[in-house]
């Protein structure tokens, strides 16, 4: 994919104070973007900004995706901006709770935080995205969707709860709704595009050090240098795992229903690839869209 610089573009990245999200922000900043780091800790946000090139152009917004009022406050603020060029919905629960917990909107917490809270943020942010000539929204899925199928009867743990399944359902839902968003935006002739990505696999041992963000012990760094090419075929660091999301914003052009992930599924340079069939199923997309709107008690896209 041919990429471009993002000089002057304003892009929001949720969960960018650490992990893959920080490296997404770093990659965008290297391309000239003004990054809005949306996270829970102002201290960690300040540290993250201090590590980005062009630090004076970036800013922090406090958001707690488990708090509906916090999400709505940030969403309303972003929606009043003159324009917004990108929203990367990266943050979320990775290690689901050991036992069932209710989250925002009165449903299972992992899907509520990872998916529904982001949809509420997106709903309120859309006016600013629509004011940009070529804004993009990025939903983040997972290669785990290849191992655990989507279960329409248990996507909110209505029948049973297992942490790994809850996380898988959240990433399935993010992919399904990201593609359905693209269908509906295109049908309405919106200038906003919806792109779905997945990061592959990432481990701390292969993640480069950043002061105040990530620091590997000397023994881990030494061990990482000894890993051969065959090992890196299967796994990568968080800097590399951030590249699909960065590419989603920097690619010059992308086809409808674009899905970007590592070339070798778990690792490798970002390429256009295919998700599991259920993610692009239009009937399933419409079904899940209706249920998401019912849970939010609001339309995700305004009519017309």
């Amino acid at each position: 994919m041919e990429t471009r610089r993002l000089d002057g573009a304003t892009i929001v990245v949720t969960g960018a104070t650490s992990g893959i999200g920080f490296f997404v922000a770093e990659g965008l900043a290297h391309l000239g973007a003004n990054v809005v780091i949306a996270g829970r800790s102002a201290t960690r946000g300040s540290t993250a900004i201090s590590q980005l090139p062009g630090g004076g152009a970036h800013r922090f917004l406090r958001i707690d995706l488990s708090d509906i009022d916090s999400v709505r406050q940030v969403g309303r603020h972003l929606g009043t901006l003159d324009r917004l060029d990108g929203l990367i919905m990266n943050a979320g629960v990775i290690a689901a709770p050991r036992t069932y917990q209710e989250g925002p909107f009165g449903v299972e917490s992992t899907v509520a935080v990872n998916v529904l809270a982001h949809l509420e943020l997106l709903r309120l942010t859309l006016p600013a995205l629509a004011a940009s000539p070529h804004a993009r929204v990025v939903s983040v899925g997972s290669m785990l969707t290849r191992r655990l199928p989507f279960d329409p009867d248990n996507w909110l743990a209505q029948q049973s709860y297992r942490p790994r399944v809850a996380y898988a359902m959240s990433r399935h839902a993010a992919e399904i709704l990201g593609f359905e968003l693209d269908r509906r935006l295109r049908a309405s002739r919106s200038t906003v595009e919806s792109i779905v990505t997945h990061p592959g696999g990432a481990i701390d041992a292969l993640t480069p050090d950043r002061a105040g963000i990530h620091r590997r012990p000397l023994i881990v760094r030494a061990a990482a240098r000894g890993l051969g090419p065959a090992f890196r075929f299967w796994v990568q660091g968080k800097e590399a795992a951030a590249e699909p999301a960065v590419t989603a914003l920097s690619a010059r052009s992308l086809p409808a229903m674009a899905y970007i992930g590592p070339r070798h599924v778990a690792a490798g340079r970002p390429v256009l690839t295919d998700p599991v069939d259920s993610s692009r199923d239009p009937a399933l997309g419409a079904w899940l869209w209706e249920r998401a709107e019912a849970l939010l008690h609001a339309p995700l896209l305004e009519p017309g």
Side-chain angles (χ1 to χ4, degrees):
M1 285 173 282
E2 184 182 359
T3 58
R4 59 194 169 104
R5 287 193 56 80
L6 298 168
D7 296 300
T10 299
I11 300 168
V12 177
V13 184
T14 64
T17 59
S18 63
I20 293 173
F22 168 77
F23 288 101
V24 171
E26 183 183 71
L28 296 170
H30 276 297
L31 293 173
N34 303 324
V35 183
V36 179
I37 290 180
R40 289 181 296 177
S41 168
T43 300
R44 292 171 66 181
S46 178
T47 300
I49 287 172
S50 73
Q51 294 295 304
L52 300 181
H58 314 304
R59 64 189 180 105
F60 173 79
L61 275 180
R62 188 186 180 282
I63 186 171
D64 182 349
L65 290 169
S66 67
D67 181 339
I68 297 174
D69 290 338
S70 172
V71 172
R72 288 174 177 160
Q73 181 180 3
V74 172
R76 291 188 186 106
H77 166 70
L78 292 173
T80 63
L81 297 180
D82 290 339
R83 61 180 275 184
L84 186 63
D85 303 292
L87 171 63
I88 299 182
M89 301 187 292
N90 162 81
V93 176
I94 297 175
R98 293 179 63 183
T99 58
Y100 178 94
Q101 292 185 16
E102 185 176 286
F105 308 101
V107 299
E108 191 279 315
S109 61
T110 309
V111 175
V113 170
N114 291 5
V115 182
L116 296 177
H118 272 125
L119 290 179
E120 182 72 351
L121 177 66
L122 170 64
R123 181 180 73 81
L124 296 167
T125 303
L126 271 170
L129 290 163
S132 170
H134 303 290
R136 288 176 179 169
V137 176
V138 178
S139 300
V140 179
S142 171
M143 64 182 183
L144 185 59
T145 58
R146 297 170 180 262
R147 301 176 187 173
L148 296 174
F150 183 71
D151 185 351
D153 296 322
N154 200 44
W155 74 286
L156 292 173
Q158 304 99 311
Q159 298 178 350
S160 63
Y161 177 82
R162 286 190 294 155
R164 190 163 182 259
V165 172
Y167 177 73
M169 292 305 103
S170 77
R171 292 311 180 193
H172 271 291
E175 292 192 3
I176 294 165
L177 290 165
F179 287 123
E180 182 64 15
L181 175 62
D182 194 46
R183 287 188 196 95
R184 293 180 183 237
L185 288 170
R186 290 177 183 276
S188 68
R189 300 187 181 278
S190 172
T191 59
V192 182
E193 295 178 280
S194 174
I195 314 300
V196 183
T197 70
H198 84 86
I203 60 173
D204 286 341
L206 293 178
T207 301
D209 297 330
R210 296 291 185 270
I213 303 293
H214 174 67
R215 182 75 176 175
R216 295 169 296 172
L218 286 173
I219 190 170
V220 173
R221 278 183 276 169
R225 285 194 293 270
L227 296 176
F231 183 86
R232 292 172 186 265
F233 183 90
W234 297 105
V235 73
Q236 60 192 350
K238 292 177 181 178
E239 182 183 37
E243 290 181 4
V246 174
T247 301
L249 264 295
S250 61
R252 286 195 177 276
S253 63
L254 289 167
M257 312 295 283
Y259 187 61
I260 302 173
R263 182 178 181 84
H264 305 298
V265 181
R269 65 180 180 84
V271 295
L272 286 169
T273 185
D274 291 314
V276 294
D277 290 345
S278 59
S279 290
R280 283 187 180 149
D281 183 331
L284 183 57
W287 177 87
L288 193 58
W289 185 274
E290 290 178 3
R291 276 146 186 81
E293 288 187 325
L295 291 168
L296 297 181
H297 301 290
L300 286 167
L301 297 179
E302 292 297 331

